[in-house]
Amino acid sequence: SIALCREYVQRFAPVAVAEMEKYGIPASIILAQGLLESNAGASKLARTISNHFGIKCFSNKCKNGHCANYTDDSHKDFFVRYGNAWTSYRAHSLLLKNNRRYSSLFELAPNDYKGWARGLERAGYATDKQYAEKVIALVQNLDLHQYDEP
């Protein structure tokens, strides 16, 4: 619902802006991805393990309780468990910043949310073929680009 989305944005906009200032990822993109990946904070991943970005665990030596398996794609889908939402937001920033797959995104203008959305889709952030369009629609419908202004 739009009310749930607005509530989510109000709650996490300060976190997204702080991440943007530290890592150069547009706050609008962070918020739109968080909204989409966590169903505005209502998804099982967000509610039970504070994972707002669908970040998977690829470790072969997971410590007990480090990740959780929610069989949405396959039995191999393990998702990282976070202590709180903020930690999930920071992990998302570090994932984009430290993975070469996303390095070209950081050459875009800081307010180019369409370029970021399309770049994330091209780089394979999600398997959804409509990922960029969904992210862009969220940014536009909820005026998330206002958070990209310095």
Side-chain angles (χ1 to χ4, degrees):
S1 84
I2 203 85
L4 196 62
C5 288
R6 289 217 165 92
E7 207 174 287
Y8 185 92
V9 170
Q10 201 170 7
R11 182 172 170 206
F12 292 110
V15 182
V17 168
E19 292 301 297
M20 173 180 72
E21 288 167 356
K22 187 166 175 69
Y23 294 100
I25 302 157
S28 60
I29 288 295
I30 297 169
L31 287 166
Q33 283 195 280
L35 280 161
L36 190 57
E37 296 286 342
S38 77
N39 190 20
S43 74
K44 189 171 184 178
L45 284 180
R47 286 183 294 106
T48 59
I49 61 171
S50 298
N51 189 328
H52 285 248
F53 297 93
I55 297 176
K56 292 185 177 160
C57 179
F58 294 105
S59 169
N60 293 331
K61 329 180 254 303
C62 258
K63 289 178 183 54
N64 199 2
H66 174 264
C67 52
N69 186 350
Y70 294 108
T71 52
D72 69 334
D73 291 324
S74 80
H75 69 284
K76 293 187 194 86
D77 274 353
F78 281 86
F79 293 91
V80 180
R81 176 188 306 273
Y82 296 102
N84 55 44
W86 180 86
T87 321
S88 173
Y89 271 72
R90 175 55 50 91
H92 171 261
S93 297
L94 292 172
L95 173 76
L96 297 186
K97 193 70 179 169
N98 297 334
N99 191 320
R100 283 210 329 267
R101 211 163 40 156
Y102 305 112
S103 57
S104 64
L105 298 175
F106 292 89
E107 294 162 21
L108 298 170
N111 60 353
D112 183 5
Y113 66 86
K114 289 180 182 173
W116 270 83
R118 293 190 184 110
L120 285 165
E121 183 180 292
R122 262 195 315 277
Y125 186 91
T127 52
D128 185 346
K129 299 284 178 246
Q130 296 297 306
Y131 194 75
E133 294 314 310
K134 288 176 182 176
V135 168
I136 290 167
L138 281 167
V139 171
Q140 292 173 341
N141 295 339
L142 296 167
D143 291 321
L144 300 180
H145 41 79
Q146 68 181 303
Y147 298 105
D148 296 340
E149 303 308 316

